[in-house]
Amino acid sequence: MRSLLAVLTVVAAIVVLWYAACAPMNIKGVLTELERGGAQVVPEGAPARRDMSAFGLVAGNSFAIPATWAQERPRLPAPHQVVTELWNTTVMKKITSKRSLVYHGWVTLSATLLGFAIGTGLGILLAVGIVHSRVMDMSVMPWAIVSQTIPIIALAPMIIVVLYSVGVQGILPKAIISAYLSFFPVVVGMVKGLRSPDAMQLDLLKTYNANTNQGFWKLRLPASMPYLFASLKIGIAASLVGAIVGELPTGAVAGLGARLLAGSYYGQTVQIWSALFGAAILAGLLVGLLGLIERATLKRMGMS
Amino acid sequence: MNNETMNQTAAARDAAQPVVEARGLDLTFQTNDGPVQALKDVNLTIDKGDFVSFIGPSGCGKTTFLRVMAALEQPTGGTITVNGMTPDEARRNRAYGYVFQAAGLYPWRTIAKNIRLPLEIMGYSRARQEERVKDVLQLVDLEGFGEKYPWQLSGGMQQRASIARALAFDADILLMDEPFGALDEIVRDHLNEQLLQLWARTNKTIGFVTHSIPEAVYLSTRIVVMSPRPGRITDVIESPLPKERPLEIRDTPEFIEIAHRVREGLRAGHSYDD
Ligand SMILES: Nc1ncnc2c1ncn2[C@@H]1O[C@H](COP(=O)(O)OP(=O)(O)OP(=O)(O)O)[C@@H](O)[C@H]1O
Ligand SMILES: [Mg+2]
């Protein structure tokens, strides 16, 4: 109950700040529109207002504040505008419609899930190799780290162009960018998890004359589960980012990334923000779902 | 089987096949701060059915010696045989069960499944596994706890479960490194009593590391006193106490006499440092 109150307080504070920020952000555009409609604003004439501070304009035209929350193409849309747009493009639209955010969300989600599966599989394989082979530890790990220092925004177009030239199109290039971002946390977490059994536990297996295989399945793998889930949660969020970034350079027509791009072409800030929130909600759902699977798995293993 | 009855008398011991035989054993660890001589010229014979305690100040090489017997550590000099083989061969023959200071049960396995772990690894049949688990749970007095997870048990019960795990595959030798070190006196007494009963019933050979003089005297047929820097054996005390030992035996003059000798031995080892 108490924590709910705390959460609500934080949300309320953010909403209040957001509304407050809308006024100075949008005031110039609003005043221009109002003046064109015949209203009395101070000072008169757009050129006179150009160099004035936004806060000064808000102070001098406080009557115009409500209008800053209701523009059609605001610089910063107000919360209720974003919520309305979200509502209209999800619940109120058929999901087959090109304007449905659910449709675009699904396009991005399918690439995200495919990329996440590839990234996780690759990450686990690499981690197993790294833990069992010193050569792999020394040769693969540095490259995995270097791979993550390259900005994905620079790399994504190259990946897409290269794949396109060999005839790979559609969902796969996006999934690969997504996998590129998500394999890394899985590698790091799994390596740590597979190495988490202490010397005593390894010695114990040695006294049973257990082989490497048995050590892996009976000790290392189960011991790594909590680490794996922590990495998967980071990995799935990274996957989503990867899929969205993968949609930008292709000028894709469908997907959350495409909505962001189209929104910025046509100055549809409300659409941009609702796509952003759509992505955030999607990420939240995915992480939450993983959390549920984690709880169920660890509970079944007797570890929680 | 024949040997076991013969072992009862000290005279027959010389004729008995030694389970562990160490001759001039040396072990030097190469560390960043230079070599550390953990064992120097250790000579020891452990016979079948012996209960041998190792006692000595911290760092005198008790754990190291146990680990050498278990082939978890390689000696740098001398020879050691376990059941007439090298320790590594003995390990591969699953000659011993090892109990570490911490219970080290897998948190994701129930007690029964923890005990089953070595059996799974050694390829026991499902039916044999069930049978052995049931038997050893009874041996350590944990019937009815098989389906519990480790965190649902007290520290003493966990330690008993780890002993059951070491007993599961019925190795002749049981090596225990301060298994009761972290437990309180009363629980410890109780477990000591149980361990003696278990030893009497199974006639295993036990190597037992401890810091407690009463524990060593109460449990052992022989007490090996060690001293550090370099780790070596300074005294081996044969206990004249009978095999049947109620807890009250600790108040008898014989018991106090042996405890005194152990204490003297430890003190002598210490003064060597000065
Ligand atoms: N793996 C290792 N590497 C380097 N030195 C070690 C290693 N294991 C033990 N030693 C050293 O060997 C010596 C003997 O250690 P050991 O653990 O056998 O002592 P111990 O008698 O069991 O002591 P305690 O009663 O504290 O358990 C110590 O000086 C220790 O620092
Ligand atoms: Mg020790």
Side-chain angles (χ1 to χ4, degrees):
Chain A
M1 214 36 232
R2 255 215 136 110
S3 54
L4 185 69
L5 200 71
V7 170
L8 289 178
T9 312
V10 171
V11 171
I14 290 173
V15 170
V16 167
L17 263 174
W18 187 350
Y19 273 111
C22 284
M25 285 294 286
N26 300 337
I27 190 74
K28 280 185 188 167
V30 164
L31 292 181
T32 310
E33 283 168 26
L34 287 176
E35 196 170 38
R36 205 176 293 139
Q40 190 70 40
V41 304
V42 272
E44 283 176 27
R49 291 192 295 271
R50 187 178 304 136
D51 297 325
M52 281 188 65
S53 97
F55 294 102
L57 288 174
V58 174
N61 302 281
S62 51
F63 74 96
I65 290 176
T68 63
W69 300 327
Q71 267 186 299
E72 198 183 327
R73 289 182 183 186
R75 275 189 184 171
L76 176 64
H80 69 267
Q81 290 179 293
V82 175
V83 171
T84 312
E85 169 80 4
L86 271 174
W87 178 263
N88 287 338
T89 52
T90 53
V91 184
M92 305 301 283
K93 280 271 180 327
K94 281 232 298 271
I95 54 169
T96 48
S97 157
K98 292 272 179 286
R99 294 208 50 202
S100 163
L101 206 57
V102 178
Y103 162 75
H104 290 285
W106 167 248
V107 169
T108 303
L109 178 64
S110 54
T112 302
L113 293 180
L114 182 60
F116 179 64
I118 297 172
T120 303
L122 183 70
I124 292 176
L125 280 182
L126 285 177
V128 171
I130 286 170
V131 169
H132 285 102
S133 147
R134 222 185 122 60
V135 176
M136 267 194 84
D137 186 13
M138 288 178 8
S139 58
V140 174
M141 206 55 181
W143 289 106
I145 293 168
V146 166
S147 76
Q148 301 302 303
T149 62
I150 303 167
I152 190 64
I153 207 83
L155 201 62
M158 291 195 272
I159 293 177
I160 285 168
V161 167
V162 168
L163 287 176
Y164 185 82
S165 70
V166 297
V168 180
Q169 303 181 49
I171 188 175
L172 204 55
K174 287 199 281 176
I176 285 171
I177 292 165
S178 178
Y180 184 90
L181 286 188
S182 65
F183 88 96
F184 185 68
V186 176
V187 171
V188 174
M190 266 316 258
V191 166
K192 192 151 171 55
L194 292 173
R195 283 189 178 144
S196 66
D198 55 29
M200 193 207 85
Q201 303 226 297
L202 296 171
D203 280 346
L204 183 69
L205 284 185
K206 202 171 165 199
T207 69
Y208 304 148
N209 198 26
N211 59 34
T212 312
N213 231 343
Q214 290 167 327
F216 178 77
W217 290 107
K218 297 204 184 291
L219 176 59
R220 289 191 190 272
L221 189 66
S224 71
M225 279 305 131
Y227 296 83
L228 175 63
F229 277 108
S231 314
L232 289 184
K233 286 187 196 165
I234 304 170
I236 191 105
S239 276
L240 184 67
V241 171
I244 292 173
V245 169
E247 286 163 351
L248 299 179
T250 48
V253 288
L256 292 173
R259 289 289 278 181
L260 287 175
L261 212 57
S264 65
Y265 276 156
Y266 303 112
Q268 295 284 2
T269 46
V270 181
Q271 182 185 322
I272 296 176
W273 279 80
S274 69
L276 277 179
F277 271 78
I281 291 166
L282 193 57
L285 289 177
L286 289 172
V287 172
L289 185 68
L290 273 175
L292 287 179
I293 297 173
E294 174 182 25
R295 283 225 330 241
T297 308
L298 294 187
K299 202 176 168 98
R300 262 203 66 168
M301 289 174 74
M303 296 216 283
S304 65
Chain B
M1 280 299 123
N2 221 354
N3 279 344
E4 287 167 18
T5 41
M6 282 166 68
N7 269 333
Q8 304 305 326
T9 62
R13 181 174 284 147
D14 300 318
Q17 166 77 22
V19 169
V20 178
E21 196 156 28
R23 292 283 162 265
L25 203 67
D26 284 317
L27 199 156
T28 307
F29 286 110
Q30 299 301 335
T31 70
N32 291 337
D33 310 326
V36 174
Q37 191 153 32
L39 294 174
K40 184 179 182 325
D41 192 27
V42 170
N43 295 289
L44 185 71
T45 304
I46 300 177
D47 291 321
K48 183 146 181 55
D50 261 351
F51 196 128
V52 180
S53 283
F54 297 86
I55 192 164
S58 197
C60 70
K62 306 181 292 293
T63 297
T64 305
F65 185 62
L66 224 59
R67 288 174 62 84
V68 169
M69 285 196 266
L72 295 173
E73 221 74 76
Q74 292 302 319
T76 47
T79 59
I80 179 166
T81 59
V82 178
N83 285 342
M85 300 173 260
T86 67
D88 207 49
E89 284 165 347
R91 178 180 70 82
R92 273 182 260 137
N93 280 319
R94 285 130 182 187
Y96 63 84
Y98 200 108
V99 180
F100 293 84
Q101 182 162 10
L105 300 167
Y106 291 2
W108 56 86
R109 282 177 174 246
T110 60
I111 298 303
K113 288 222 177 104
N114 265 290
I115 295 171
R116 194 175 291 162
L117 175 72
L119 306 177
E120 289 170 8
I121 288 171
M122 296 175 191
Y124 278 55
S125 74
R126 219 32 220 211
R128 275 288 284 155
Q129 290 181 18
E130 302 287 347
E131 202 179 308
R132 285 303 300 162
V133 168
K134 200 166 150 278
D135 286 355
V136 293
L137 275 176
Q138 204 163 9
L139 270 180
V140 299
D141 213 4
L142 277 179
E143 300 113 309
F145 288 94
E147 295 317 305
K148 294 264 189 287
Y149 280 98
W151 55 267
Q152 293 171 300
L153 269 58
S154 72
M157 290 161 99
Q158 289 185 25
Q159 198 52 269
R160 257 149 56 199
S162 88
I163 293 171
R165 182 178 58 185
L167 292 171
F169 49 101
D170 209 16
D172 290 337
I173 309 170
L174 194 55
L175 301 175
M176 308 173 90
D177 191 355
E178 296 188 52
F180 308 139
L183 306 175
D184 74 63
E185 203 80 13
I186 304 296
V187 175
R188 205 169 168 154
D189 280 354
H190 183 60
L191 291 181
N192 282 340
E193 230 179 341
Q194 282 188 319
L195 183 59
L196 270 188
Q197 286 166 11
L198 193 146
W199 173 63
R201 246 178 297 168
T202 56
N203 203 36
K204 288 188 189 301
T205 309
I206 299 183
F208 188 96
V209 172
T210 180
H211 273 131
S212 155
I213 296 174
E215 188 172 66
V217 177
Y218 177 65
L219 291 173
S220 321
T221 55
R222 294 162 84 201
I223 301 153
V224 176
V225 182
M226 298 179 72
S227 99
R229 276 165 305 234
R232 66 204 184 281
I233 295 177
T234 50
D235 200 1
V236 178
I237 299 164
E238 302 272 343
S239 170
L241 297 177
K243 207 166 179 182
E244 192 73 28
R245 298 176 187 181
L247 277 174
E248 297 73 46
I249 205 167
R250 296 180 299 182
D251 299 323
T252 62
E254 290 91 337
F255 187 97
I256 294 165
E257 162 66 25
I258 306 165
H260 182 74
R261 272 190 62 193
V262 176
R263 188 168 291 113
E264 290 291 296
L266 285 173
R267 207 169 280 149
H270 264 294
S271 60
Y272 188 87
D273 278 340
D274 303 330

